[in-house]
Structure formats: C-alpha cells, structure tokens
Amino acid sequence: MKKILFLLLLVATTATAQPAWNERPRLVVGIVVDQMRWDYLSRYYDRFTDDGFRRLTDKGYSFNNCLINYIPTVTAIGHASVYTGSTPAFHGICGNDFRIDGKPVYCCQDDNVNTVGSDNKSGKRSPRNMLATTIGDQLRLHTDFKSKVIGVSYKDRAAIFPAGHSANAAYWLDTHNLRFITSTYYMDRLPEWVNRQNEQLASDKEVQKAGKDIGLTPLCGTVITDMAIAALENEKLGQGETTDMLCVSYSETDVIGHKYGTRGTLTDEAYLQLDRDLARLFQALDSKVGKGQYLLFLTADHGGAHNPEFMQENRLPAGRWNADNLIERMNNKVKEAFGCTDKTVLNANSGRIFLDHNAISCQHLNLQQVKDTLVAFLRGHEHLEFVVDFEKAATQSLPAIIRDRALMGYHYRRSGDLLYVPEPQWLDAGAWMSPTGTTHGEWNPYDAHIPMLFYGWHVPQGNSSEEVHITDIAPTVCQMLRIQQPNACVGEARAFK
C-alpha cells in the first residue's frame, strides 16, 4: 500500500512540473540581482522575511551549483547571457565597454536613437550591439508579437538586454534628473503612467535627497520595485490572451558592493530592503496575475570577491596586484623590442588587452610577434597566474576550466587580443572599487557562483546540487513555455528533479 501511495505521489509531482503542450503561464518574471553571491541566500536567511527571498528558497526550486561558464564576469555580459542562454562568443556583448573592430563602444550605446523622457544623452541606448535573441524575443515571435515584454532597471544595460530586440519597452533611471527614461528605439514619448511615476519621484523627499547617488542607497531598489509594479498594473501584464514577460534588474547591490564590499552595514541593509521589496512585488503578482499563474526566476549577473584587506586581516590569501601604468609599460616594451615609435596597446579592460592593429600594420610590425612579446612580458608580472593569446587559447597549456571559459568569452572582433588571469583573490588595483569595496570579473567561485531560483507555475519545491550554468536559464524557461530557444542558445534545459 505504501509503495502504491508513493507512486501516486511521484506521478502527481511529475505532472505538476510538466505542463501540457498548449498550457502556459500568464506571465514570466525574470529578476537579476546585480553582484549577488550565491552564499547570500544562506548568509541572510534568518533575517529575510517569509515572503521575500525565503518564498523562493522554501517554496520554489533552487539550483545550488549554478556557475558562470565564461570570462569576464561583468554586468552587461551577465544580463545578456541570462536571457539569450548564450555567451560573448555568440551574443557579442563582450563587456560593459569593449571594442568592435578596434572602435570603442559602450555595450548598449546607439547614436542612431535619442533620449525619450529627458534632455540629455542618457537615452541614446538600444540592444543593437547584441547579436542574439532573448527569451522575450522568442516569446514574441511565437505569439506573432501579441505578447508584451518590458524591462525595468536602474542601469540602462540591465533593462535593455533582458528585454531584448523586439521588446515593447525598456525603462532605466536617468540619475541626472532622477527620472525613468527610454529611447526612440522603443517609442517617441513616455506613456502617461511613466510620467506619473516620474512626478512621484520628483515629489519624493527621500529620493531627491539621495540625488544622483541613489544607486548607493537601498532606496534605489524600492524605486525599481515601484516602477515594476506600475508596469505590471498599467500595462496589464499577464492579463491578456498570451503570455507576457516582465524583466526586473536590481543594481544598487552592485553599486554598494563596489564601494563597501561584501561585508558591512549598508550591504546588509541593501539585501534586507531588497527582500522586503521583493515581497511587495510578489504580493502584487499574486493580486494582479494570480498565485500559480506566473513563472518566476531569480539569478545574478555575477558575484563579487571579498575585499582584499578584509581577507588579509583574517590571514587569508588575497591582495591587489599593481596594474598602475600597465598600458604605458606594455607600449614601452613593444617600442624597446621592435624600435617602433607609435603606441600599439590601446587599453586593458576586465583582463583583456586590446591592441591597435592599424598602428601595428602601419609600422610594419608582425602582429603575432607583438602578441608573443607582450605575453612573455605579462607572465613576468607578479600575481598573474595565466596570460594567453586569445586566438590560441584552445591549443595553449591551460587548465580546462580556464581554457573553456576563455573560449566562451571570446569574440574575434570584440574581445581584444590577450587575456590575463590573476591568482585567486588577487584583484586588479585599477578596477572600479574603493579601498573598502570589491570588484568582480574572474572565473573564481566568488565571482562565478550565483543563485538560480525558480518559483510559481509548475515549479515544485526542491533543490539540486548538480552543476548548471547561467546559460541554462533561458532554455529551461523556453522549454516550459513550449517555445523555441533563443537563436544562439548554448545552454541546456534543466529538469526540476
């Protein structure tokens, strides 16, 4: 009798997790928390409310060993990879800043569009630099563009890349004027409900007091949550004939982390306030869409290292390797080796070295010899563990984990020429971080181990320790929706076991 009951329970559980072919949720909600390490789920567990993060961990499904499978691990790449199920090698977003055929670009810069909602250039943005489709794009394709897809965030790139190419809208915060804006890529004027949100921001004393530094306060997450709920209500997401999608990204955790690190009062406050904001968002979803009628996932674009001085104080190996004048020293090395006069090294960004191919050609230098000289020079630098010629990464003597992640992060026209990898917990002193803060970008677990939580429609309670990747989120969602995966997807659809 017990065996029969067990089998009946197993069948019922399996049926719950496997939707019918013609069955879909009313709404898909994607949430990305910028710089959220996986271990924050346990670090703050006892201080979280029952209806925020703990609703997801206790009543949803957690993949506890989700890793980022490329380098570098930075914001723009993370957001693009979550929603495309792909990596820089295919979706082409190779950093927050990178170069396309030698020309410097900001990841979502688009000079062919204009700002909507403000009087500056903060809205000259679009997803055009991203080469692949997203979950939302595939959903819109599948429903003949009847589904609505909207992205909301503090950062432009964190709203734009998740929403995708065919999105109805993406909104981000113009910190100069403390207003939500968009670009003419999406529309010519803001909807009235967005204007009302902006009027509320203008009259909010706390927001105005925070000013352009609002990203350094937990209040930023509250503002983003208010905007997400306003989009949910005013666009009537999840209330139409087809499945809609809402993409929400929280960035204050990253801004605060860079300045104050993984430990400290303000970092704690940011996650505890975010927990309360998520509870409000979940309650709004329950009310407007219905419990069990929406499919939600939460993840991060990357993690963050502990502050090196904090580690040293506790007798743990860490430090800052000195990258001061690195570009100047590299240029001098090439001049010394080949007797040239013009600079050949353009810049270094997130462990990548970009060379000036035109200058190298004009001075009749051999590109491979220049690269070999610089690789040898960098390998003599203390605390750099690996230095590779990106183009030869597949055949060089590298541990498989470094080789594979380097290749997945490498786009021939966009990723530069050389890659350097510091020793564990040794951070680039030139990276964007304060003396008390942190940064990210490496392959190591502190940067690459992130949450991957699912909740709601046909998601059972449970967890798994199998290794999964940031690129698995998109195909998992698409399989549940019975729609095609994004067109450059390299991830695997995962089952809730």
Side-chain angles (χ1 to χ4, degrees):
M1 185 65 181
K2 289 182 178 180
K3 185 176 182 180
I4 293 173
L5 288 173
F6 172 77
L7 290 173
L8 288 172
L9 179 61
L10 180 62
V11 170
T13 302
T14 303
T16 300
Q18 295 295 325
W21 283 97
N22 62 346
E23 184 186 5
R24 293 186 181 87
R26 294 169 62 181
L27 179 68
V28 178
V29 181
I31 299 174
V32 178
V33 182
D34 205 326
Q35 205 185 117
M36 184 175 182
R37 295 163 54 107
W38 172 78
D39 61 354
Y40 285 168
L41 291 172
S42 59
R43 174 172 172 78
Y44 295 112
Y45 182 85
D46 292 337
R47 300 168 70 183
F48 284 150
T49 64
D50 290 337
D51 209 30
F53 281 105
R54 283 171 62 168
R55 186 198 281 214
L56 307 185
T57 56
D58 295 356
K59 299 179 181 179
Y61 197 94
S62 176
F63 289 94
N64 294 326
N65 192 23
C66 180
L67 303 175
I68 294 175
N69 53 343
Y70 54 78
I71 44 179
T73 49
V74 297
T75 296
I77 302 178
H79 282 81
S81 297
V82 167
Y83 285 87
T84 64
S86 194
T87 72
F90 304 98
H91 62 57
I93 300 303
C94 296
N96 297 333
D97 299 278
F98 51 97
R99 290 174 180 263
I100 300 179
D101 293 331
K103 180 182 177 181
V105 297
Y106 173 61
C107 58
C108 56
Q109 180 72 26
D110 188 345
D111 293 333
N112 295 314
V113 301
N114 293 310
T115 305
V116 175
S118 190
D119 57 359
N120 57 43
K121 296 182 179 181
S122 300
K124 295 181 75 65
R125 307 284 188 263
S126 86
R128 286 194 174 112
N129 288 331
M130 185 166 63
L131 305 177
T133 61
T134 62
I135 301 170
D137 290 329
Q138 298 302 138
L139 179 61
R140 298 251 302 150
L141 277 166
H142 193 86
T143 62
D144 293 327
F145 301 95
K146 295 174 184 176
S147 296
K148 286 185 178 180
V149 178
I150 294 176
V152 175
S153 184
Y154 165 82
K155 293 181 179 178
D156 47 22
R157 56 190 180 270
I160 290 170
F161 294 137
H165 296 274
S166 65
N168 300 85
Y171 302 105
W172 56 95
L173 201 62
D174 173 10
T175 55
H176 299 287
N177 297 311
L178 292 177
R179 294 173 56 82
F180 281 102
I181 62 172
T182 188
S183 82
T184 52
Y185 179 89
Y186 305 98
M187 63 191 71
D188 293 326
R189 62 177 61 88
L190 292 178
E192 279 306 309
W193 68 265
V194 178
N195 288 329
R196 290 194 296 271
Q197 286 299 115
N198 285 333
E199 289 171 3
Q200 291 179 22
L201 290 177
S203 63
D204 189 314
K205 293 181 180 178
E206 287 188 54
V207 170
Q208 296 303 313
K209 182 179 179 181
K212 66 178 182 179
D213 292 326
I214 190 169
L216 271 171
T217 72
L219 176 63
C220 182
T222 302
V223 169
I224 298 305
T225 302
D226 290 343
M227 183 64 172
I229 293 174
L232 174 72
E233 294 175 344
N234 289 279
E235 297 290 348
K236 301 187 184 306
L237 299 178
Q239 299 178 45
E241 296 180 359
T242 58
T243 301
D244 297 323
M245 186 166 192
L246 176 62
C247 310
V248 186
S249 291
Y250 292 96
S251 308
E252 71 281 359
T253 44
D254 181 72
V255 182
I256 290 170
H258 277 293
K259 188 170 181 63
Y260 297 105
T262 59
R263 296 291 187 267
T265 302
L266 199 58
T267 300
D268 293 348
E269 288 178 1
Y271 280 93
L272 298 180
Q273 180 58 50
L274 176 57
D275 180 62
R276 293 188 288 269
D277 288 326
L278 287 176
R280 284 198 302 120
L281 177 60
F282 299 161
Q283 289 160 8
L285 291 166
D286 292 343
S287 174
K288 298 298 179 180
V289 183
K291 289 186 176 181
Q293 297 300 309
Y294 58 91
L295 170 63
L296 183 147
F297 66 83
L298 183 146
T299 189
D301 53 350
H302 55 75
H306 292 308
N307 176 269
E309 285 72 31
F310 165 79
M311 295 285 284
Q312 290 172 349
E313 288 170 4
N314 289 280
R315 297 182 297 173
L316 294 167
R320 300 176 188 243
W321 71 278
N322 185 6
D324 291 345
N325 304 316
L326 179 63
I327 303 304
E328 180 181 354
R329 285 183 283 135
M330 292 176 70
N331 274 308
N332 288 339
K333 182 63 179 179
V334 175
K335 290 177 182 179
E336 174 188 315
F338 300 102
C340 57
T341 56
D342 294 338
K343 294 180 179 179
T344 53
V345 183
L346 291 170
N347 73 304
N349 185 307
S350 298
R352 300 157 304 168
I353 304 294
F354 292 81
L355 302 183
D356 190 333
H357 289 217
N358 287 332
I360 291 171
S361 176
C362 289
Q363 296 178 94
H364 306 291
L365 303 180
N366 181 286
L367 175 61
Q368 189 59 56
Q369 289 179 351
V370 171
K371 289 197 289 186
D372 291 345
T373 297
L374 291 173
V375 167
F377 170 73
L378 288 170
R379 282 177 177 169
H381 203 299
E382 188 179 15
H383 302 303
L384 290 187
E385 199 162 36
F386 303 101
V387 182
V388 299
D389 179 343
F390 246 143
E391 208 170 8
K392 294 184 175 181
T395 58
Q396 292 184 347
S397 298
L398 291 169
I401 192 170
I402 302 295
R403 180 196 65 222
D404 294 346
R405 294 186 188 190
L407 291 171
M408 292 299 270
Y410 175 63
H411 188 284
Y412 177 74
R413 294 173 56 195
R414 301 184 174 198
S415 293
D417 300 274
L418 310 178
L419 173 73
Y420 59 81
V421 179
E423 294 173 359
Q425 204 66 55
W426 278 84
L427 309 183
D428 185 345
W432 185 53
M433 60 179 290
S434 74
T436 58
T438 187
T439 191
H440 52 84
E442 304 304 333
W443 67 272
N444 310 75
Y446 47 78
D447 284 349
H449 188 190
I450 56 174
M452 181 173 164
L453 302 165
F454 288 85
Y455 172 81
W457 185 79
H458 286 283
V459 176
Q461 190 281 327
N463 65 84
S464 169
S465 294
E466 69 172 316
E467 181 177 325
V468 299
H469 302 120
I470 189 172
T471 50
D472 296 337
I473 295 170
T476 300
V477 172
C478 289
Q479 179 161 290
M480 294 185 73
L481 299 180
R482 309 298 194 198
I483 64 175
Q484 187 56 271
Q485 298 174 353
N487 61 11
C489 184
V490 298
E492 298 180 38
R494 299 293 178 171
F496 306 122
K497 299 177 181 179

